[in-house]
Amino acid sequence: MLKKNSPPVSLRLLLTIPFAGVITLSVGLTGWISFITSKQTMNDLVAQLLQQATQRICEPLEDFDTFPIADLIAQETGQLVLNNLQISPHSQTFILTRSGNIIAYSTSTTTYLPNYLATKESIERENLINYSVQFLLKHFLNLAAITKSETLTFTANGDKYLLQVKPFFESDVGNEHNIDWLIVAVVPETDFINQVNANTRVMLGLCFLALILSISLLLLISWRIELKLQRLIAATQAIAAGNLNQQVLGSNVVELEYLALAFNQMSQQLQKYHSQSEHYSRILQLRVESKTRQLKLKNRELKKAKKAAEAANHAKTSFLANMSHELRTPLNAILGFTQQMARHQQTTPAQQLSLNIINRNGSHLLKLINNILSLSKIEAGEMKLDETAFDFYALLDDIEQMLLVKAQAKGLQLNFDRSEKVPQYIRTDESKLRQVLINLLENAIKFTPSGSVTLQVKVTDRLPPSPHQHSLTAKALLFWISDTGFGIAKEELGSLFKPFVQTQTGRRSQTGTGLGLPISRQFIKLMRGDIRVKSKLGTGTTFRFYIRVGLADAWEVDNHLSSPRVIGLAPNQQKYRILVVDDQWENRLLLSECCQEVGFQVWQASNGREAIELWQQYQPHLIWMDIRMPIMDGYQATQFIRKQPNGEQTVIIALTASVFDVKREQAFDVGCNDFVAKPCPEAVIFEKMALHLGVRYLYETQSSHLQHQLVPQITPESLSVLPQGLLVQLHQAAELGDDQTAKQLIEQIPEFHNLLKITLAQLVEELRLDTISDLTKFSVE
């Protein structure tokens, strides 16, 4: 078979060469068979002659009984027979005894042999006989070993000979005179090969003549076929060039006739299809033009829709930025002044408790705002992973202590199970992991009326590290949060992680915004993981998620122990000048008083232009620069200051209440040294000034008034001391979410139960009516 990429071969060669090869092979095979047959024929002829010679020699012996006379007669008769026996022109036939002596041989050179045995000299004169005897002695080693007819070949003086040896009698039957002779015939191979070669030459000549005639006839036939095929090829090329009106004449060959007929039918079909394709092409062209017009209209509509979507997205971003600024700005003042008032030693314990309630509710409101803004940042693709090294064991212990009070208040068991293989020091976004765990555990506690809530943490090897993490410095942590609560219906699982969507159980509780789970899922994906949920109504729910973390060492982990409160500047320091720039009077006042109370010199500016004037006049060491301000914003003011000769000597820290309007990169690009988001705790304010100015502080070594425990441990048993009717009414008000009625009922609690009264009032202020409902449900059972 020809290879696919081999060059083309003409039809004549394709038909002639294999045919010539077959004929050549046949001629050679015939010659070889003829040679083998001739050789075998010669062997059979020699065998027959030797058989006849043996019979003729033995016939005269039938009338003699004694061995000497019979032996002599046999010798004489054998000589006469061999003289008349001629197998081939140069053949030799002789008789010898088992001892190797010649009795007779087919030649007339010796007519008399004394003592009926030939002498050694007469044997040497006959070279062919001598060669034959030597070969037999060499081949059989002993002439007595020849017991039957043998056909052999040997070479002497470069000539090849055919030898056949036969005992007179191959058995004792018929050998009455005990004649144990051998009769040998030797024929040179050339005697019969010459004749065989002559016959072979004649046969080869005839075969060669037949080969020439066959090839000539084959070439003629192939030429006729090629002529027809060339006409077909020319017609095909004309069709390929676009001339479809082609017809091919028939031929006397049936196959070529069918081929021409099929080609003509194909040509007619092509003409038909061509006309149809032109018709369809015109129709298609009209449709394409119509579709093109429709696509142009749709593109214009899509452009309008895109502009509308971009405008809506811009409006959404602007709204969120403004909302962030408008909400976080007053929260900054509320939380800031609350912390500042809590620092005064004149604050009574009752006032301290009220300040703590304000701080807790403000923090709760800030958490809700952060959730909404976090979701918006996730949707905008602006949420990033802030990886740090931290103590994972300490994080779990902190969360357990924080949630233990809520769990005990509902009579639940809170179990934290950590595998021994879990590393203590890891590297990931601590804040996001903390928020995920708190969201899931708080939901589990909220929707579990009785039983337990369990957190399990393990290391799994089934998940490989992410592509940018090395397997030796990374682990995959697996978390299970399971509860024995109400459970979630199967049809609600699909929408569980959609924003602002709550399950039926969540809607009955009338708490939450439906943002905790969507935000948790996005945070988990940022940490290169995923979350799954299994739940059954009435049985409970299990959330399972994994994240990929890096391994860290103990020396990399920052000390998160709360630092003591700053009460003043350490002695032997220069007077640090601070400039506070903010368009909101409350924020300027809060930050200014915070700095002045510990000993800083402070000036205030309400916009960037005033900030530049005060900077030129007083050359402050540090500027707290708000970004969003009228007349001149913080970006412009910072850029102007940095361009002045002494502008690089002033530390500028950017302040903002909007997470969308300002990014750290933008603040650093215009020349800010640091970035702080509002509301910021006073500890962060002092920490930043110490970092950039090297300020040393005096700290409060021992507080004169210890902060009261915000939420004392309270159980249903501790409420059993209250009147039954009061507990029933309080439970009903908590179930209905009526906080005003709950406050009025709590005011009825006697003064000698003041601790319970304060604790329940605090739960109402924190909108934790679900906790009150769980604590008082025993009263209605």
Side-chain angles (χ1 to χ4, degrees), residues 225-270:
I225 295 174
E226 284 184 2
L227 184 61
K228 299 295 183 181
L229 292 177
Q230 287 176 358
R231 293 176 183 174
L232 182 61
I233 292 171
T236 305
Q237 291 175 345
I239 291 177
N243 185 8
L244 302 180
N245 188 16
Q246 297 291 324
Q247 294 292 326
V248 178
L249 298 178
S251 174
N252 296 329
V253 181
V254 177
E255 288 77 6
L256 293 179
E257 181 70 24
Y258 286 154
L259 183 60
L261 180 61
F263 180 83
N264 293 334
Q265 292 176 352
M266 181 191 69
S267 177
Q268 294 173 3
Q269 290 293 330
L270 286 176

Side-chain angles (χ1 to χ4, degrees), residues 89-134:
H90 302 90
S91 63
Q92 181 67 273
T93 305
F94 58 93
I95 301 172
L96 75 161
T97 64
R98 295 288 183 173
S99 59
N101 295 324
I102 302 299
I103 299 298
Y105 52 92
S106 59
T107 178
S108 58
T109 56
T110 302
T111 58
Y112 176 74
L113 294 176
N115 298 325
Y116 67 84
L117 293 178
T119 62
K120 183 176 180 181
E121 289 78 7
S122 59
I123 294 175
E124 291 178 353
R125 287 197 297 266
E126 297 296 335
N127 291 330
L128 184 55
I129 296 175
N130 186 31
Y131 295 153
S132 301
V133 173
Q134 292 178 0

Side-chain angles (χ1 to χ4, degrees), residues 277-303:
S277 65
E278 290 181 347
H279 174 68
Y280 293 149
S281 178
R282 288 191 295 269
I283 296 176
L284 181 61
Q285 185 177 2
L286 295 175
R287 291 182 179 179
V288 169
E289 291 176 355
S290 176
K291 290 293 184 182
T292 303
R293 289 192 296 269
Q294 294 177 8
L295 286 174
K296 289 182 179 179
L297 292 176
K298 288 184 178 180
N299 285 336
R300 284 196 287 267
E301 294 175 357
L302 287 175
K303 288 181 180 179

Side-chain angles (χ1 to χ4, degrees), residues 447-683:
F447 300 118
T448 302
S450 62
S452 63
V453 175
T454 303
L455 168 65
Q456 292 179 298
V457 188
K458 295 182 179 180
V459 175
T460 177
D461 296 329
R462 297 182 180 180
L463 299 170
S466 58
H468 67 278
Q469 288 181 323
H470 194 272
S471 59
L472 298 178
T473 59
K475 293 289 183 183
L477 299 182
L478 194 60
F479 296 81
W480 281 274
I481 293 94
S482 56
D483 61 62
T484 58
F486 299 114
I488 304 170
K490 185 177 181 180
E491 58 272 13
E492 293 182 319
L493 292 177
S495 59
L496 193 62
F497 295 102
K498 293 182 180 180
F500 304 105
V501 176
Q502 289 183 297
T503 62
Q504 185 177 359
T505 304
R507 291 191 294 270
R508 285 201 304 265
S509 69
Q510 298 183 358
T511 58
T513 60
L515 294 177
L517 289 179
I519 292 175
S520 297
R521 186 179 193 181
Q522 295 299 326
F523 283 175
I524 290 171
K525 287 185 176 181
L526 279 175
M527 290 183 283
R528 298 174 291 278
D530 202 359
I531 185 171
R532 295 288 185 271
V533 59
K534 289 185 178 180
S535 184
K536 187 176 181 181
L537 284 175
T539 303
T541 304
T542 298
F543 285 90
R544 185 180 66 176
F545 72 91
Y546 70 90
I547 60 172
R548 293 180 172 90
V549 301
L551 299 181
D553 295 323
W555 59 268
E556 299 181 78
V557 178
D558 294 332
N559 186 5
H560 294 289
L561 296 177
S562 58
S563 57
R565 178 176 297 172
V566 176
I567 60 175
L569 295 176
N572 301 323
Q573 294 185 90
Q574 60 175 320
K575 293 291 183 179
Y576 290 103
R577 299 180 296 275
I578 307 298
L579 175 60
V580 178
V581 186
D582 199 309
D583 61 327
Q584 298 293 325
W585 173 79
E586 298 88 347
N587 291 335
R588 294 199 307 271
L589 179 62
L590 173 63
L591 191 53
S592 298
E593 289 187 0
C594 180
C595 295
Q596 287 174 346
E597 284 184 357
V598 297
F600 289 104
Q601 291 182 336
V602 182
W603 290 269
Q604 300 181 23
S606 60
N607 56 65
R609 185 173 298 172
E610 293 181 5
I612 292 174
E613 294 176 356
L614 292 174
W615 175 81
Q616 293 174 337
Q617 182 177 359
Y618 297 104
Q619 292 293 312
H621 297 93
L622 184 144
I623 300 176
W624 291 99
M625 182 72 74
D626 188 24
I627 297 301
R628 292 184 57 178
M629 295 182 296
I631 303 177
M632 179 182 287
D633 61 23
Y635 286 138
Q636 297 171 336
T638 301
Q639 289 176 333
F640 179 85
I641 292 174
R642 292 306 188 202
K643 293 179 181 179
Q644 304 308 310
N646 297 326
E648 295 295 334
Q649 298 179 3
T650 302
V651 177
I652 301 177
I653 300 177
L655 282 172
T656 181
S658 173
V659 294
F660 278 90
D661 206 28
V662 175
K663 295 182 179 179
R664 292 179 181 270
E665 293 80 3
Q666 295 174 339
F668 292 142
D669 289 342
V670 299
C672 294
N673 299 94
D674 210 333
F675 175 93
V676 175
K678 300 177 184 178
C680 52
E682 64 176 19

